[in-house]
Amino acid sequence: MSFIDKLALIVVSERKTLAARTRGEEIFFTPGGKREPGETDEEALVREIKEELSVDIVTDTIKPFGVFTAQAFGKPEGTMVRITCFTADYVGTPIPGSEIEELRFISTAERNSTTVTGQLILDDLKMKNLID
């Protein structure tokens, strides 16, 4: 079994969570991405969120949220993705970065529009009474 290790930012507003859709894809995911060699989790999160959402994370507000693991979307069976999620304040208004076609706030009613890990994150947010 192989693992893809990613980081993501949980953004909740009006009882929905922010999701992003990459150009040419139909499925939404939690904004974030992979570490570059030598990057800390914090450095990678700041860079990925700047690239995807065009906002600047306030680094001293980064807090762990949870780790979610499931079959990786679009990868061979047995390829798992492990997403370490964080919350943080940021400066700016999220707008789609160069790789992102659409940003949308979603609730559990739209769980089928996201990946399996995205669904796990939605379920966790709902269980914690943060989203509908």
Side-chain angles (χ1 to χ4, degrees):
M1 185 177 310
S2 62
F3 276 92
I4 299 169
D5 199 26
K6 292 187 166 187
L7 305 164
L9 179 68
I10 303 292
V11 177
V12 174
S13 178
E14 298 179 9
R15 300 198 51 82
K16 293 184 176 188
T17 188
L18 186 63
R21 185 172 58 79
T22 305
R23 293 193 190 290
E25 296 288 341
E26 294 183 17
I27 203 90
F28 283 83
F29 62 90
T30 307
K34 299 177 191 171
R35 287 174 210 81
E36 296 289 336
E39 276 185 323
T40 65
D41 286 359
E42 183 177 281
E43 291 166 341
L45 187 68
V46 167
R47 177 185 50 75
E48 285 286 349
I49 296 307
K50 179 71 170 180
E51 290 173 5
E52 293 186 0
L53 306 182
S54 307
V55 298
D56 294 307
I57 288 181
V58 180
T59 56
D60 63 358
T61 67
I62 297 173
K63 294 182 179 71
F65 181 83
V67 179
F68 303 87
T69 304
Q71 169 65 39
F73 175 75
K75 300 295 182 189
E77 188 67 33
T79 303
M80 306 297 284
V81 63
R82 179 177 32 233
I83 302 178
T84 303
C85 296
F86 298 88
T87 60
D89 295 335
Y90 53 85
V91 177
T93 301
I95 58 171
S98 61
E99 299 173 355
I100 305 301
E101 189 162 336
E102 180 182 2
L103 296 175
R104 181 190 303 174
F105 280 91
I106 63 173
S107 68
T108 54
E110 298 170 272
R111 70 188 317 275
N112 290 334
S113 69
T114 190
T115 62
V116 175
T117 46
Q119 292 173 11
L120 293 174
I121 292 166
L122 285 172
D123 293 345
D124 188 68
L125 288 164
K126 171 86 172 168
M127 186 182 69
K128 292 174 178 169
N129 198 30
L130 297 171
I131 66 169
D132 293 323

